[in-house]
Amino acid sequence: MPVNIIVGMQWGDEGKGKIVDILSEHHEIIARYQGGANAGHTVVVNGMKFVLHLIPSGILREGKVCVIGSGVVVDPQSLFAEMDQLEKGGIKIGGRLLISPRAHCILPVHKSLDKAHEARGGQRKIGTTGKGIGPSYADKTARVGIPMFFLSDEKKLESAANSLLAVKNSLLSDFYSQDKLDPATLLKEIKSFIPRLLPFVGDTRSVLADGMRDGKNILCEGAQGTMLDLDHGTYPYVTSSYTVSGGACVGLGIPPGKIDKVIGVAKAYTTRVGEGPFPTELLDGVGAKIQEEGNEFGATTGRPRRCGWFDGPVARYAVEINGIDEIALTKLDVLDVLDKLCVCTAYKVDGKTVERIRDDVSILERATPVYKEFDGWNTKTAGITEFSKLPDKAKRYIGFLQEQAGAHISIVSTGQGRESTITGIPRS
Ligand code: GDP
Ligand code: IMO
Ligand code: MG
C-alpha cells in the first residue's frame, strides 16, 4: 500500500492529526498537500500535546521524512514558531523536512487583507482564521504571488514584490482606505526570513516520485475537510484550497493512478468553526454538553466550535467525492455522557426528502434534518483499545454510521492520546 491519503470528511477538526500520527508509524514519508497555518492538528504523545499547523504530523515519529507540497501556502513566521515549539519538545527537524519550491509564501500583507476583508461592513463574513489563506491563494491564482523558488533569485523576488504591491496598494488605499505599503519594506521583510527558510526548500516532487519507485509508503495529510473544499464545499463558506482527496494529487504532484487508499476521518458527531450552513447544529444544552466534553475550541484560533449530530448525507458525500475506502471514527468517548443520540439520515427541503448532497449546495441553508434516534450507552468508552470491549449500544451506533456513510469503519478513536485507539477493525 504505497500511497495513502488522509482526508477530513466534515468541516475540519475531525482528528486528522491524531490519525496521521497513528498511521505514520507504517509510512516513511508524510506529506501535507494543501492549506496553510489555518490548520491546527493536535497530537498527544505520552501526555505531551503538540499542535501542528504546517508541518505534517509525522514529524513526531523519529526518522520519518516530512514534505510540504506545492499546494500548501506557507507563512514563514508561523513555520518558524512551529519549528521552535517542536524543537523545545525534543523533536529534531533538520534533514527531515522538505518544502516545495512551488509552495507560495504568505506575507503579512495577506494576513492584513484577510482581516480587513472580514471586518468590512456589509461584507458577507466567512469567519476565516485570519491567517491570510484566501488572499495568498488568490495571488497565486492571479500569478502575482511569491513562490519559494523566487527567494533564491533576487531579481525575480524584487520584480514580484513590486508587482504584488502595485495590486495590493490600490486595494488597500482605494478600497479599504488604509495606508499603502512600501515595496522596500516588504522586500526587507521577505529577505529577513530567507536564511532560515531556504535550507528546507527542495525538490519534493522528485523525493515523492523516487519514494514511489522504491516502494516506500507515503501518507498524504489533508487539512480542513470535504465540506470546506473550494469547489465542493459549502461555498462561499469554505477555505481557498482543494481539501478533497484529488487535492493530494495536485498539491503534491502524485499521479492519480498511484493512490492506493483514501482514509476518511470523521467525528462521531459534527463540528464547524466559522460561518455557513450546518443542518445538524445543536443550539441547545446538548450542543453545549458536546462542546464541553469534546473540548471543542479551535486549535488555531481558540474559537468555540459549533456542535451537532452526525450527518449521514455529509458522510455519504465525503465517501463519494473522495473515494473513501475506510473511515477512522474519532471522539466516540465524547458521547459517553449522552442519554440519547441522533443521526441525520436525510434532510427535508421544501417539503421533499433529500438524501444526497447535490451541487445546489445552498439548499443546506434551509434543510431540516431527518433523525434516527439511539439510546446512549452511558458507560465509559474512553481509553478502550479493543472493539469487542465497546458496549453493544456503541457498536450498534458505529454500525449505523458505517451504513450511513457507505464505507467500512476500520479505526475508532476513544481518546486524545495515541494509545486510545482501536485499529484493524474487521469488516463484519
Ligand atoms: P484535526 O484538525 O482534524 O487534526 O483535528 P484537531 O486536532 O483540530 O481537533 C481534534 C481534537 O480532538 C484534538 O484536540 C484532538 O487531540 C482531540 N481528539 C482526537 N481524537 C480524539 C478522541 O478520540 N477522543 C477525544 N476525547 N479527543 C480526541
Ligand atoms: P483543520 O486542518 C476547521 C474554516 C474557518 C472558516 C473557513 C475559511 O484543523 O481541520 P480560512 O482561514 O481557511 O480562509 O477560513 O474555513 N477553517 C477550518 N475549520 N478546521 C480547519 O483546519 C480549518 N481551516 C479553516 O474557520 O470557516
Ligand atoms: Mg484542527
Side-chain angles (χ1 to χ4, degrees):
M1 44 167 221
V3 186
N4 300 315
I5 300 176
I6 292 283
V7 67
M9 292 177 66
Q10 295 155 328
W11 278 278
D13 300 327
E14 296 90 347
K16 298 174 294 293
K18 170 174 172 170
I19 300 303
V20 168
D21 173 63
I22 297 287
L23 298 182
S24 54
E25 187 182 359
H26 304 293
H27 292 79
E28 283 101 322
I29 304 174
I30 297 92
R32 253 291 287 277
Y33 58 86
Q34 46 67 234
N38 49 350
H41 297 178
T42 311
V43 184
V44 177
V45 186
N46 299 329
M48 211 163 156
K49 180 172 141 181
F50 296 91
V51 182
L52 297 143
H53 301 285
L54 281 160
I55 300 175
S57 307
I59 201 79
L60 302 178
R61 297 224 181 230
E62 217 179 316
K64 306 292 176 181
V65 171
C66 289
V67 162
I68 293 180
S70 61
V72 177
V73 281
V74 178
D75 172 5
Q77 280 173 347
S78 174
L79 180 73
F80 297 155
E82 201 171 323
M83 286 174 164
D84 292 343
Q85 181 221 353
L86 286 167
E87 272 164 1
K88 231 195 245 165
I91 311 291
K92 284 207 180 76
I93 296 165
R96 297 180 53 210
L97 177 69
L98 200 63
I99 305 169
S100 168
R102 297 179 190 271
H104 277 239
C105 293
I106 294 193
L107 304 171
V109 62
H110 292 128
K111 288 185 262 187
S112 307
L113 283 168
D114 190 355
K115 287 175 191 149
H117 196 67
E118 286 278 290
R120 195 167 71 89
Q123 169 69 29
R124 204 160 31 166
K125 203 168 173 269
I126 304 295
T128 72
T129 58
K131 302 290 176 186
I133 305 298
S136 165
Y137 277 117
D139 281 353
K140 174 180 172 175
T141 310
R143 293 156 295 177
V144 294
I146 298 183
M148 295 286 163
F149 74 92
F150 282 13
L151 301 184
S152 47
D153 183 331
E154 199 159 342
K155 261 200 188 140
K156 263 205 179 93
L157 182 61
E158 271 174 32
S159 137
N162 285 330
S163 62
L164 180 75
L165 274 204
V167 179
K168 297 303 148 201
N169 273 338
S170 69
L171 194 61
L172 279 170
S173 64
D174 302 346
F175 194 72
Y176 293 117
S177 311
Q178 290 190 8
D179 292 341
K180 289 189 178 186
L181 298 169
D182 172 30
T185 311
L186 174 72
L187 208 57
K188 203 172 144 202
E189 227 164 50
I190 300 173
K191 284 185 176 167
S192 71
F193 57 64
I194 291 177
R196 191 169 178 194
L197 192 57
L198 270 190
F200 292 97
V201 178
D203 188 0
T204 52
R205 198 204 60 81
S206 294
V207 167
L208 292 166
D210 292 351
M212 286 184 273
R213 184 199 57 207
D214 298 341
K216 286 191 177 151
N217 289 347
I218 298 170
L219 188 62
C220 309
E221 176 173 349
Q224 290 83 51
T226 303
M227 300 306 280
L228 288 171
D229 183 272
L230 179 59
D231 276 31
H232 303 287
T234 47
Y235 191 90
Y237 304 102
V238 292
T239 190
S240 300
S241 67
Y242 300 110
T243 63
V244 294
S245 58
C249 295
V250 180
L252 292 169
I254 294 179
K258 295 279 185 192
I259 305 301
D260 195 70
K261 205 188 267 181
V262 180
I263 300 144
V265 185
K267 268 180 192 163
Y269 49 94
T270 311
T271 63
R272 170 163 207 173
V273 198
E275 307 302 315
F278 180 2
T280 64
E281 182 170 16
L282 288 162
L283 298 165
D284 57 7
V286 180
K289 202 163 187 185
I290 293 176
Q291 187 181 70
E292 192 192 329
E293 283 296 314
N295 192 23
E296 294 297 355
F297 297 90
T300 298
T301 59
R303 289 180 293 175
R305 296 174 181 150
R306 299 154 67 190
C307 297
W309 296 124
F310 188 90
D311 188 320
V314 164
R316 282 196 286 283
Y317 178 63
V319 166
E320 201 169 274
I321 202 157
N322 296 299
I324 288 170
D325 300 290
E326 287 175 21
I327 295 173
L329 187 75
T330 61
K331 305 194 88 161
L332 183 76
D333 53 298
V334 172
L335 304 179
D336 290 354
V337 293
L338 300 184
D339 298 328
K340 291 265 175 227
L341 303 170
C342 290
V343 176
C344 167
T345 56
Y347 310 123
K348 280 276 181 208
V349 185
D350 305 331
K352 290 194 186 118
T353 303
V354 177
E355 292 187 343
R356 194 177 193 186
I357 306 265
R358 297 190 299 234
D359 278 349
D360 51 347
V361 77
S362 60
I363 65 160
L364 288 185
E365 285 163 22
R366 52 182 202 280
T368 317
V370 177
Y371 286 125
K372 181 171 166 64
E373 210 176 271
F374 288 82
D375 284 338
W377 41 91
N378 264 315
T379 45
K380 193 172 156 237
T381 65
I384 288 182
T385 55
E386 287 171 52
F387 192 73
S388 61
K389 301 225 164 114
L390 288 175
D392 284 344
K393 283 177 180 162
K395 283 188 200 152
R396 212 167 305 138
Y397 181 74
I398 293 167
F400 190 71
L401 300 192
Q402 182 166 280
E403 209 176 280
Q404 281 293 305
H408 174 56
I409 294 176
S410 61
I411 298 175
V412 172
S413 172
T414 58
Q416 274 199 304
R418 222 181 232 176
E419 63 292 343
S420 302
T421 318
I422 306 171
T423 54
I425 300 169
R427 286 171 201 273
S428 49

